[in-house]
Amino acid sequence: MSWIGDKFQQETKYDPNRMPGHRLIWDAKPALYKEYPEAEKIELTQFRPVEQMSLDGVLKWRKSIRDFRQDPISKDQLSYLLWASTGIQRIEQGYEFRTAPSAGALYPIETYLIINNAAGIEQGVYHYSVKARCLEQLKQGDLRQEITRAALNQQMCATAAVVFIWSAVFERCKWKYGQRAYRYIYLDAGHIAENLALAAVSLDLGSCEIGALYDEQVNAILSIDGKEESIICMAVVGSPA
Ligand SMILES: Cc1cc2nc3c(=O)[nH]c(=O)nc-3n(C[C@H](O)[C@H](O)[C@H](O)COP(=O)(O)O)c2cc1C
């Protein structure tokens, strides 16, 4: 039992005889939204597909796509993918709930994009502001080589129109769940990733999730510290070849 993963699995179990005593300190509740007030904002659209594919159809068609045509993704498509993966879906009692479930509705996952080929949006690194429903530009330029290298040379990062990158702000979830939060954080990211995969199919796009990556190289691209906030996983999206 010396491996960290095995130890983690054992030590974060809930046991009726040994529940962690944890008192919520409301004044210390972390902010649920990350914002880049200085960044240039790119408005997103409210696009929803008119011809909705059935859930059954989407489930039958979803598969990992790694070869892409060099078609740009449209702003409508991008807007829909962002909303469908983790956008605000409803407000209840003043609280904003999103399209993907999240343990305790704490939403620890942040979404970043590397845009390679999008109509009307320049190449670069962007943060999805869930609250303001816009993109915030963090870096300009062609990141295809850098992100491909960071993904163990998986070429789909260069040929896809866009790379979705999901990080976690750990304290948002640890505030309530302590070390068990790490279980929930990975589950939260999985829900978002699957929402994206299904939404992509509904737009006749293809996607592939990516877990094989050099964490610190991706963190450096996003300018996040890898401790308070760190990469969890990514997905590429584009028109299937
Ligand atoms: C957490 C996770 C990480 C993955 N990482 C990669 C990856 O780094 N590279 C890759 O080509 N596929 C990756 N995949 C895709 C799987 O290989 C793929 O889902 C699996 O082979 C099943 O095929 P399907 O998605 O076409 O049904 C990943 C999938 C998941 C869920």
Side-chain angles (χ1 to χ4, degrees):
M1 187 64 66
S2 59
W3 293 94
I4 186 83
D6 298 326
K7 199 166 176 309
F8 168 77
Q9 190 63 25
Q10 296 310 315
E11 293 194 6
T12 57
K13 278 182 177 167
Y14 272 173
D15 179 329
N17 302 314
R18 194 169 44 88
M19 288 298 280
H22 196 69
R23 201 170 52 82
L24 290 183
I25 302 168
W26 287 95
D27 288 347
K29 186 178 180 193
L32 295 188
Y33 298 97
K34 189 170 183 193
E35 283 170 284
Y36 290 85
E38 307 300 320
E40 190 182 322
K41 310 281 185 285
I42 288 102
E43 293 301 319
L44 295 167
T45 70
Q46 300 286 320
F47 173 81
R48 301 284 181 275
V50 182
E51 300 257 316
Q52 293 277 4
M53 195 186 268
S54 71
L55 177 62
D56 189 56
V58 166
L59 291 170
K60 279 183 184 146
W61 275 100
R62 190 220 56 85
K63 63 178 183 174
S64 295
I65 299 292
R66 300 176 178 85
D67 295 314
F68 299 103
R69 290 201 311 269
Q70 291 309 291
D71 300 345
I73 194 166
S74 72
K75 194 189 263 193
D76 278 346
Q77 289 174 322
L78 206 51
S79 301
Y80 184 65
L81 293 176
L82 287 162
W83 176 78
S85 55
T86 189
I88 295 171
Q89 177 228 43
R90 70 191 196 280
I91 299 174
E92 285 178 17
Q93 294 168 357
Y95 202 90
E96 292 171 326
F97 291 87
R98 306 189 193 178
T99 50
S102 171
L106 293 170
Y107 304 109
I109 306 299
E110 291 289 330
T111 303
Y112 298 84
L113 302 180
I114 290 183
I115 293 191
N116 294 334
N117 188 9
I121 308 177
E122 53 186 356
Q123 287 185 317
V125 182
Y126 295 80
H127 172 252
Y128 175 42
S129 170
V130 175
K131 194 168 189 59
R133 299 164 171 84
C134 69
L135 289 177
E136 295 165 322
Q137 188 178 52
L138 307 185
K139 285 181 193 170
Q140 269 176 298
D142 183 351
L143 275 288
R144 284 178 296 182
Q145 280 195 8
E146 230 175 299
I147 192 61
T148 300
R149 237 182 283 126
L152 280 65
N153 225 21
Q154 299 189 71
Q155 295 301 315
M156 57 182 156
C157 291
T159 56
V162 57
V163 184
F164 280 68
I165 307 182
W166 294 293
S167 73
V169 177
F170 298 107
E171 187 54 30
R172 261 185 222 155
C173 196
K174 282 164 73 178
W175 168 77
K176 181 167 185 188
Y177 297 111
Q179 290 297 299
R180 193 173 167 90
Y182 287 91
R183 291 177 178 233
Y184 300 158
I185 285 166
Y186 285 96
L187 288 166
D188 271 29
H191 289 113
I192 293 169
E194 181 66 356
N195 274 10
L196 176 78
L198 298 179
V201 174
S202 80
L203 298 177
D204 291 325
L205 296 170
S207 73
C208 182
E209 199 169 336
I210 296 185
L213 50 88
Y214 296 120
D215 301 55
E216 290 310 338
Q217 290 188 18
V218 183
N219 289 334
I221 292 171
L222 305 180
S223 304
I224 56 176
D225 68 1
K227 293 192 176 74
E228 300 293 315
E229 180 180 358
S230 189
I231 169 74
I232 301 295
C233 62
M234 326 196 288
V236 292
V237 180
S239 297

